[in-house]
Amino acid sequence: MRVNRRMTATVATAAVLGLTLAACGGGGDGGEGSGESGSADQVEVFTWWAAGSEKAGLDALVGVFNEQHPDTEFVNGAVAGGAGSAAKDLLQTRLQAQDPPDTFQAHAGAELQDYIDAAQIEDVSDLYDEFGLTDVFPADLVDRLSTEDGAIYSIPSNIHRANVVWANPTVLEDNGIDPEAEYADLDAWMADLETLDKAGVTALSVGTTWTQVHLLETVLLADLGAEAYSGLWDGTTDWEGPEVTAALEDFETLIGYTNEDRDGLDWPEATQMVIDGNAAFNVMGDWAVAAFEEQDKVLGTDFTAAPVPGTDGTFDFLADSFTLPVGAPHPDGAKAWLETVGSLEGQVAFNKAKGSIPARTDADAAEFSEYQQTAIESFANDTIVSSLAHGAAAPVATLNAISDATSKFTTGASDLAGYQSELAAATQS
Amino acid sequence: MLNKLRRVGPPLLMLAPSLILVGVFVYGLIAANFTTSLTDNHTAAQATGQKPAVFVWFTNYLDLLASEDFQHSLMNLVLYTVVFLAGTMVMGFLWAWMLEKPVKGEGIFRSVYLFPMAVSFVASGVVWRWLLNSNQDEQASGLNRLFQIVGLDALQNNWWNNVTFGIVAIAIPAIWQLSGYVMALFLAGFRGIPEELREAARIDGASEWKMYRYVLFPQLSPVALSALIIIGHMSLKAFDLIMSISKPANYQTKVPAVDMYVFKSSFDYANAAAVGSILLIIVAIVIVPYLVRTNREEKR
């Protein structure tokens, strides 16, 4: 009995000790970075660029950074997984706990609104003046990035175009469609899609909800035009109006031409259907060009790229950008990083590796690939509008509500009128 | 007094760390969650205190329960739970019943049936997403293709992409994974019934069916209840399997746990917390009566 009790006590004490130790262990790694002196000796850069061409781009950018700021140590805070959703979840937690990284990647534009409202990031418009960025970025872009009171909260590192349609010329020829054809509007395009659909081909490949929202935004852009499309986001275009109804009808028709298993695919699989000749067209942003090129496909012969019919002359942009969080442990390090991000050398090195194009208009187009050259030219000359699916046009909550409504509609749980009123409600809140 | 302290003190001291930890990290956080769910904390600005969040009491709950989309999620949860429970109980019981009589190679069968449980939901979800591909006819792959090969073309369907019953398709991999576990529970139950009971029943002239009905099943009912509770609460918390087969935005496979995730990523903490509380209450409705019952039996 006596022995037994002592035994119990020993075991229990061990357990208590274990718990205490565990608690200490948990508390130990919270305080890093706080005790250091000099705020320019390092910079923690938080991104979701952890693999593939994105990682190659980041490495190239770091190369330029080390040349420009040899005294500042680069700390890679990249978080892999879920096309950025894992990183965004972690970022949300860190900002909430007031433990921000020195700078973090975010889609430029309205997606930053939540961070701005929460007073988690700083206005960097004075850095635009300091680094001379106002003159080298297109005026349209600076407009899109500025808030109503003229503040800018991030510096874009690269630009992507969302309104691109990719096609497989072989599939088109096999079904008697001229791959060279240029479609003036969606109606002309849908006539050919109809032909393909009748022939039993998947006319248009699409993937899960966000790619459907991506398709929706290009349809809205095609039918409404650039000005009315932009008006959807500042309230000057009525979501309940007949023009939007007509656009949604086109969207409904287009979804009718798509693959049945769309909700299970992400964009690489949907684009792969065009590469493999299982689908004729795919609407996807211009990061898709990397998927074609990786498989040694040649632009013009193996695949074609064109603005989505009806959106020629418009550049539906999205951009990755870097911010200056409030309370960053190394603000001077972050400013050094932002300077490199905005610099010509940084933008050229990064975008050549990532496959996107520089936000600066003074880069030499000849250094880039064939597709990138066409994108650089359009970016300089076209009207620039903001992408919905990629955070440039609307805050996260609005985008999530639009995504939910779109998924409900494309799975057949709501009709067009219901869809339209849900979209209107989503953009009002 | 001192005596009492000596008697109560040491155990209390021993228990204190875990009591404090559980108090703070379980009950404290449940309280914090519940408080958040009673506010109008729907934006990032309110979450960080830039704008005030005020108490709106049960408005969030009422709005959620009134919204068609959340009702759809709850309906999906009910469908999923019913099919998942029925599937695992039936399969698990059948397997246990077959293995209960000494069979050759019983160990092998047991391992084969139990093995899927060792696979994580996320890993099996990736495979099942392919198996449950909703393409049909020429483009079919996965199970639809299998149906074509064996000439059962009529069985092809769009699996989890059906807007009403899609969630049931996701219950299939869940059943596949956990039937073996239920089998193990039932098998232990069968083995725990002394052979003498069966002998006595046989001597009394009971038929095989009567022996099961009146002798074995009553002995198995505590096991069945445990299995129901364990599978039931897993089902109510279903998230990982759905996320890896479908996507959070897909309407056809929404359940409350997915809604909670989407609300949270929209910086809508109040609604996320409200969904969390609703889930907790649903799980409590299932578990509390079971705990009360077990407690009563132990006292007896």
Side-chain angles (χ1 to χ4, degrees):
Chain A
M1 184 63 208
R2 178 123 198 108
V3 178
N4 231 342
R5 190 185 280 171
R6 189 175 292 163
M7 186 77 169
T8 321
T10 319
V11 172
T13 316
V16 170
L17 271 176
L19 277 172
T20 323
L21 281 178
C24 290
D29 44 47
E32 62 187 311
S34 51
E36 278 146 75
S37 61
S39 72
D41 58 356
Q42 71 170 47
V43 55
E44 185 200 356
V45 179
F46 187 96
T47 64
W48 55 85
W49 292 333
S53 62
E54 299 184 325
K55 171 142 192 349
L58 182 62
D59 290 344
L61 191 55
V62 173
V64 176
F65 178 71
N66 286 337
E67 271 171 34
Q68 292 182 347
H69 302 280
D71 299 333
T72 308
E73 185 202 351
F74 169 84
V75 179
N76 193 351
V79 174
S85 61
K88 284 178 193 172
D89 279 348
L90 180 61
L91 180 66
Q92 203 177 339
T93 315
R94 282 188 63 176
L95 291 176
Q96 201 96 81
Q98 303 192 336
D99 171 34
D102 296 315
T103 177
F104 64 85
Q105 173 197 2
H107 286 135
E111 199 172 291
L112 293 174
Q113 194 58 47
D114 293 301
Y115 303 122
I116 299 171
D117 289 344
Q120 285 165 334
I121 51 176
E122 309 249 18
D123 179 7
V124 292
S125 47
D126 53 334
L127 293 181
Y128 271 67
D129 297 333
E130 193 184 326
F131 303 150
L133 298 177
T134 323
D135 305 325
V136 292
F137 288 162
D140 262 5
L141 177 68
V142 176
D143 272 357
R144 299 261 154 254
L145 296 180
S146 310
T147 57
E148 274 166 25
D149 48 3
I152 309 179
Y153 287 88
S154 70
I155 294 184
S157 54
N158 59 312
I159 301 288
H160 276 296
R161 183 178 200 174
N163 60 328
V164 186
V165 60
W166 310 88
N168 186 321
T170 321
V171 177
L172 295 180
E173 272 164 21
D174 288 350
N175 292 284
I177 289 164
D178 176 17
E180 309 275 304
E182 283 179 21
Y183 304 101
D185 54 22
L186 283 180
D187 289 335
W189 187 40
M190 287 193 292
D192 276 359
L193 291 177
E194 177 74 32
T195 316
L196 288 161
D197 194 54
K198 287 242 172 70
V201 181
T202 302
L204 181 65
S205 70
V206 77
T208 188
T209 307
W210 76 261
T211 66
Q212 296 164 19
V213 174
H214 186 119
L215 179 64
L216 170 72
E217 84 178 48
T218 59
V219 171
L220 287 168
L221 183 58
D223 281 351
L224 299 174
E227 198 175 322
Y229 169 82
S230 297
L232 290 171
W233 314 119
D234 60 20
T236 51
T237 304
D238 182 12
W239 273 98
E240 305 262 25
E243 296 83 9
V244 176
T245 314
L248 295 182
E249 277 163 5
D250 284 345
F251 177 64
E252 187 174 23
T253 317
L254 286 175
I255 286 291
Y257 296 138
T258 60
N259 41 310
E260 188 84 4
D261 62 344
R262 52 183 177 260
D263 284 331
L265 309 181
D266 210 332
W267 78 266
E269 292 132 311
T271 305
Q272 192 64 35
M273 291 178 72
V274 172
I275 300 177
D276 292 342
N278 294 328
F281 291 101
N282 173 229
V283 172
M284 189 35 59
D286 61 6
W287 49 91
V289 75
F292 287 96
E293 283 169 354
E294 270 165 21
Q295 298 172 51
D296 297 326
K297 303 291 176 187
V298 180
L299 180 65
T301 53
D302 298 321
F303 70 100
T304 62
V308 172
T311 68
D312 200 11
T314 318
F315 192 102
D316 185 12
F317 101 98
L318 59 123
D320 289 305
S321 66
F322 284 91
T323 57
L324 183 57
V326 172
H330 305 94
D332 291 332
K335 277 174 194 158
W337 175 257
L338 292 176
E339 187 175 9
T340 301
V341 166
S343 71
L344 183 61
E345 299 78 36
Q347 296 229 326
V348 170
F350 177 73
N351 287 297
K352 269 166 78 176
K354 186 175 185 282
S356 43
I357 63 167
R360 294 174 74 111
T361 47
D362 56 352
D364 182 7
E367 288 189 62
F368 290 88
S369 78
E370 195 186 346
Y371 170 77
Q372 283 169 308
Q373 291 184 16
T374 63
I376 289 172
E377 199 194 319
S378 309
F379 184 62
N381 301 319
D382 290 357
T383 314
I384 298 174
V385 297
S386 304
S387 162
L388 161 69
H390 304 280
V396 182
T398 307
L399 175 57
N400 280 350
I402 289 179
S403 302
D404 283 351
T406 304
S407 175
K408 200 173 167 185
F409 179 63
T410 57
T411 48
S414 59
D415 58 6
L416 200 122
Y419 182 36
Q420 191 170 3
S421 58
E422 283 188 359
L423 288 177
T427 45
Q428 260 154 25
S429 57
Chain B
M1 179 66 203
L2 199 69
N3 230 348
K4 198 177 175 190
L5 192 74
R6 198 170 279 164
R7 198 158 48 83
V8 184
L12 206 62
L13 209 66
M14 297 287 179
L15 284 175
S18 48
L19 277 183
I20 292 170
L21 287 178
V22 170
V24 171
F25 290 104
V26 177
Y27 295 99
L29 292 184
I30 288 177
N33 179 74
F34 189 65
T35 321
T36 311
S37 73
L38 298 180
T39 64
D40 68 342
N41 190 345
H42 297 301
T43 61
Q46 288 166 312
T48 51
Q50 295 301 311
K51 280 187 195 149
V54 294
F55 276 96
V56 292
W57 300 109
F58 290 95
T59 318
N60 294 327
Y61 291 87
L62 295 177
D63 287 351
L64 270 177
L65 293 174
S67 100
E68 220 178 278
D69 294 347
F70 191 66
Q71 286 169 6
H72 170 78
S73 300
L74 285 175
M75 195 59 216
N76 270 349
L77 186 66
V78 170
L79 265 175
Y80 179 79
T81 305
V82 167
V83 174
F84 184 24
L85 273 179
T88 45
M89 295 304 278
V90 169
M91 296 299 288
F93 182 78
L94 275 180
W95 289 345
W97 179 69
M98 289 191 296
L99 289 181
E100 183 238 338
K101 304 159 180 173
V103 228
K104 232 184 194 170
E106 188 205 314
I108 297 174
F109 281 114
R110 228 174 24 202
S111 317
V112 166
Y113 291 146
L114 253 180
F115 208 61
M117 208 180 81
V119 183
S120 86
F121 270 138
V122 175
S124 77
V126 172
V127 177
W128 279 94
R129 181 173 61 196
W130 177 79
L131 283 174
L132 298 177
N133 186 299
S134 55
N135 275 340
Q136 296 172 34
D137 305 322
E138 282 121 81
Q139 280 110 22
S141 63
L143 288 183
N144 280 349
R145 182 87 191 95
L146 186 72
F147 285 147
Q148 283 180 355
I149 292 171
V150 297
L152 294 168
D153 293 44
L155 281 179
Q156 293 185 74
N157 65 75
N158 59 357
W159 299 110
W160 56 269
N161 284 312
N162 182 300
V163 70
T164 319
F165 299 108
I167 195 76
V168 172
I170 297 200
I172 296 172
I175 294 171
W176 172 78
Q177 283 206 269
L178 281 155
S179 292
Y181 178 60
V182 175
M183 173 203 75
L185 288 177
F186 273 123
L187 208 51
F190 272 125
R191 294 279 146 85
I193 301 171
E195 194 56 36
E196 289 80 6
L197 281 181
R198 296 175 195 230
E199 279 167 11
R202 289 208 183 92
I203 288 168
D204 285 348
S207 66
E208 193 77 351
W209 162 246
K210 277 189 172 157
M211 184 181 79
Y212 272 101
R213 171 72 188 78
Y214 296 107
V215 179
L216 298 186
F217 285 173
Q219 298 276 330
L220 283 178
S221 67
V223 175
L225 188 66
S226 309
L228 268 178
I229 299 294
I230 293 166
I231 301 295
H233 91 278
M234 282 181 77
S235 163
L236 293 172
K237 294 187 294 189
F239 178 71
D240 38 7
L241 187 62
I242 295 173
M243 288 285 279
S244 56
I245 293 182
S246 180
K247 300 263 161 45
N250 285 339
Y251 180 77
Q252 60 271 46
T253 52
K254 289 234 172 184
V255 293
V258 174
D259 286 329
M260 183 164 73
Y261 174 77
V262 173
F263 277 130
K264 197 222 106 193
S265 67
S266 312
F267 301 96
D268 189 344
Y269 294 98
N271 274 329
V275 175
S277 303
I278 291 175
L279 267 181
L280 182 71
I281 291 166
I282 298 177
V283 174
I285 289 173
V286 176
I287 291 207
V288 168
Y290 170 72
L291 292 180
V292 169
R293 206 188 104 120
T294 348
N295 204 15
R296 212 179 284 152
E297 271 173 8
E298 271 166 16
K299 268 187 191 149
R300 219 187 279 156

